[in-house]
Amino acid sequence: MKTEILGIRFDNLTRQEAAQQGAALLAENKFHYVVTPNPEFILACEKDPDFRDILNRADLVLPDGIGVVYSAKILGTPLKERVPGIEFASDMLSCLNDMGGRLYLLGAKPGVAQQAGQHILDRFPNIVLCGTRDGYFRDEEDVLLQVAAARPDLLFVCLGAPKQEKWMARWGAHTGARLAIGLGGCLDVFAGNVERAPDAWQKLGLEWAYRLKKEPKRIGRMARLPLVLVKAAGQRLRGRQRGGEE
Ligand code: UDP
């Protein structure tokens, strides 16, 4: 079941349910893509209807940011829980490991995808790492040819939004992969270059604050995020006025 939050139709699933649905996509012999929008995506979509369309056409739309979960609550259509992209990615790696499947890592600065791949293989030794490539390229088609030649089952596309979603929507079906996931900065985390917030921060919904503490230069990007909550409140109030609730 989909829940619409400010124009994006999210799948309302627990992490476990998302993992089950992801596993089914990975088992099916055709291309699928999964997106993991956070509040920055919602703001970007306001100016970029193509991006919104690409998100809404995805096979799974998972709420990556706590701001999405709060917005859903404000709108009166709560989501079951936050499903962080990195956790969904780990669940898919576990599934791929059981299958002995092939993984391609696309994105991040030179050398990062390779390092991430090494760490992933340490945890999931049955996976075949069939290729890696950094995310700073000009020729999209050339990247497609490299990915397709590696014949992946699972493809992580980590180019930042909306580049990664646009790449998946345009080229994904030609890669031969069964499942591509847009995962932002996840390769930096798998590589060990960026640390995730400790559990206590995550449980309090403060992963964003921990990230800001570690990377203060993100303040400019993050300063706009409460806007999403304001927009959700505005939409709720307008809905009530129209519905004559108050
Ligand atoms: N990136 C890339 N190609 C680009 C721009 C960004 O591969 O042209 C990578 C960047 O190195 C980083 C990731 O994309 O690893 C995006 O990180 P960001 O912090 O924007 O994503 P978030 O963690 O917020 O999802």
Side-chain angles (χ1 to χ4, degrees), residues 8-227:
I8 301 181
R9 292 192 292 277
F10 285 87
D11 286 278
N12 188 9
L13 302 169
T14 62
R15 174 179 166 186
Q16 203 185 0
E17 288 165 344
Q20 280 162 357
Q21 294 210 9
L25 299 179
L26 194 52
E28 212 183 354
N29 196 11
K30 67 179 225 209
F31 177 70
H32 309 86
Y33 71 93
V34 173
V35 295
T36 58
N38 61 32
E40 279 185 80
F41 288 49
I42 295 178
L43 296 178
C45 282
E46 287 185 344
K47 294 191 188 119
D48 187 346
D50 282 351
F51 182 32
R52 176 181 293 140
D53 212 50
I54 287 170
L55 295 178
N56 284 334
R57 279 192 281 119
D59 292 275
L60 276 179
V61 183
L62 303 175
D64 181 71
I66 194 71
V68 176
V69 173
Y70 285 152
S71 298
K73 217 181 261 178
I74 290 170
L75 285 164
T77 49
L79 292 167
K80 287 180 185 169
E81 63 177 326
R82 179 176 167 230
V83 183
I86 187 116
E87 292 180 11
F88 179 72
S90 296
D91 291 337
M92 292 306 94
L93 289 172
S94 166
C95 201
L96 192 72
N97 191 56
D98 293 343
M99 295 162 50
R102 299 167 70 82
L103 172 69
Y104 196 103
L105 303 176
L106 172 62
K109 298 204 171 109
V112 174
Q114 233 165 340
Q115 203 179 339
Q118 199 44 57
H119 289 178
I120 288 171
L121 292 184
D122 291 344
R123 271 171 70 196
F124 301 102
N126 284 334
I127 287 178
V128 177
L129 184 64
C130 62
T132 62
R133 152 112 210 203
D134 73 81
Y136 295 84
F137 51 82
R138 287 245 168 94
D139 187 345
E140 294 198 346
E141 220 168 322
D142 175 54
V143 174
L144 163 69
L145 293 176
Q146 275 191 25
V147 176
R151 295 184 295 108
D153 298 304
L154 177 63
L155 169 62
F156 288 177
V157 186
C158 305
L159 308 171
K163 192 172 169 186
Q164 60 201 12
E165 289 75 19
K166 290 187 172 177
W167 193 92
M168 289 193 294
R170 175 137 196 228
W171 304 111
H174 304 289
T175 61
R178 291 159 182 237
L179 181 61
I181 318 174
L183 287 167
C186 282
L187 290 181
D188 300 297
V189 178
F190 281 119
N193 299 339
V194 172
E195 199 194 327
R196 269 199 89 191
D199 279 356
W201 290 67
Q202 288 183 37
K203 283 203 184 93
L204 291 170
L206 289 174
E207 194 156 12
W208 61 272
Y210 187 81
R211 192 146 186 213
L212 190 56
K213 181 164 106 89
K214 291 280 171 185
E215 295 173 67
K217 65 176 187 315
R218 293 179 80 92
I219 185 79
R221 266 172 83 173
M222 284 190 172
R224 293 179 65 238
L225 302 188
L227 240 188

